[in-house]
């Protein structure tokens, strides 16, 4: 029984020391997102590509060095040939995601490689064919891998690559994102 108590207490103190090192806190950032849209393989049309770029604002909360939640939005535009004609489009989205990784201490900095999974509400006026109307709303899912560098003064830089699918619209989007912000 003494061995069990000693192991349990050691595990408790060790996990508290690792997780409760004042890493928890809020983050607020803004950035740029660029990528390519294409029709996914379930669409009956050709998979022509289009370019898009967006401004991004993001709020995050780090519970500890391992787990974070993020939410935010994007607003952007692009050029598409999905309908067979070259045209401009507007798009925006709201998203929420969970992030899992580990923030390693490197000198005075923290570097957190991570993977994220999330859901989004997507709004666009992309024409998929000539008869397609305007102003679409659809739910989507996305997965991302990235890394965030936290500085000692609270400024952070986050870079990621993500892939998202908008199911009802048969659109797949691969994006690169850079975000700069402040951790409170």
């Amino acid at each position: 029984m003494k061995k069990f108590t000693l192991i349990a207490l050691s595990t408790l103190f060790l996990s508290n020391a690792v997780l409760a090192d004042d890493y928890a806190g809020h983050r607020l950032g803004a950035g740029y997102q660029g990528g390519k849209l294409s029709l996914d393989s379930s669409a009956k049309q050709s998979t022509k590509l289009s370019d898009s770029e967006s401004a991004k604002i993001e709020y995050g909360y780090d519970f500890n060095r391992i787990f974070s939640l993020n939410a935010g939005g994007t607003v952007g535009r692009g050029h598409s040939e999905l309908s067979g004609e070259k045209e401009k489009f507007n798009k925006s989205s709201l998203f929420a995601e969970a992030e899992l990784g580990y923030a390693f201490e490197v000198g005075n900095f923290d570097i957190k490689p991570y993977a994220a999974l999330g859901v989004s509400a997507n709004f666009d006026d992309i024409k998929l064919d000539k008869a397609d109307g305007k102003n679409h709303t659809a739910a989507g899912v996305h997965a991302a891998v990235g890394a965030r560098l936290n500085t000692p003064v609270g400024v952070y830089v986050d870079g990621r690559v993500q892939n998202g699918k908008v199911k009802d619209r048969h659109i797949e989007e691969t994006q690169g994102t850079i975000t700069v912000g402040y951790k409170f």
Side-chain angles (χ1 to χ4, degrees):
M1 183 66 168
K2 288 182 183 180
K3 283 185 181 180
F4 175 76
T5 305
L6 181 61
I7 291 171
L9 287 174
S10 297
T11 304
L12 176 67
F13 289 128
L14 179 61
S15 64
N16 282 340
V18 169
L19 296 178
D21 66 354
D22 269 349
Y23 192 80
H26 303 271
R27 288 180 281 107
L28 186 61
Y32 170 82
Q33 180 171 292
K36 296 272 186 199
L37 286 126
S38 63
L39 296 178
D40 69 24
S41 58
S42 66
K44 295 179 172 67
Q45 300 154 306
S46 64
T47 56
K48 295 181 182 174
L49 291 174
S50 64
D51 298 315
S52 70
E53 54 186 27
S54 300
K56 175 181 181 180
I57 188 162
E58 180 177 86
Y59 165 79
Y61 186 79
D62 297 320
F63 289 91
N64 50 43
R65 290 186 168 275
I66 298 168
F67 184 71
S68 303
L69 291 177
N70 303 316
T74 64
V75 64
R77 61 185 174 179
H79 301 283
S80 172
E81 292 185 25
L82 294 175
S83 68
E85 300 173 6
K86 192 166 188 163
E87 59 188 358
K88 293 180 182 181
F89 64 86
N90 297 304
K91 68 180 193 110
S92 60
S93 68
L94 298 172
F95 67 89
E97 65 185 19
E99 178 184 292
L100 190 63
Y102 188 79
F104 296 95
E105 291 183 49
V106 180
N108 290 332
F109 298 90
D110 291 318
I111 298 175
K112 182 180 182 180
Y114 63 84
L117 291 173
V119 295
S120 61
N122 301 281
F123 314 95
D124 68 63
D125 62 2
I126 302 169
K127 283 186 170 184
L128 297 182
D129 57 42
K130 292 179 183 176
D132 196 9
K134 294 278 190 177
N135 301 326
H136 302 280
T137 302
V141 295
H142 66 267
V145 292
R148 184 168 40 258
L149 172 71
N150 292 313
T151 67
V153 294
V155 174
Y156 73 87
V157 178
D158 186 310
R160 67 173 10 189
V161 175
Q162 68 185 35
N163 184 278
K165 293 186 185 262
V166 181
K167 297 281 186 193
D168 297 342
R169 302 273 287 140
H170 303 288
I171 293 175
E172 183 173 345
E173 186 167 18
T174 303
Q175 304 163 320
T177 302
I178 186 84
T179 306
V180 177
Y182 187 77
K183 182 172 178 176
F184 302 92

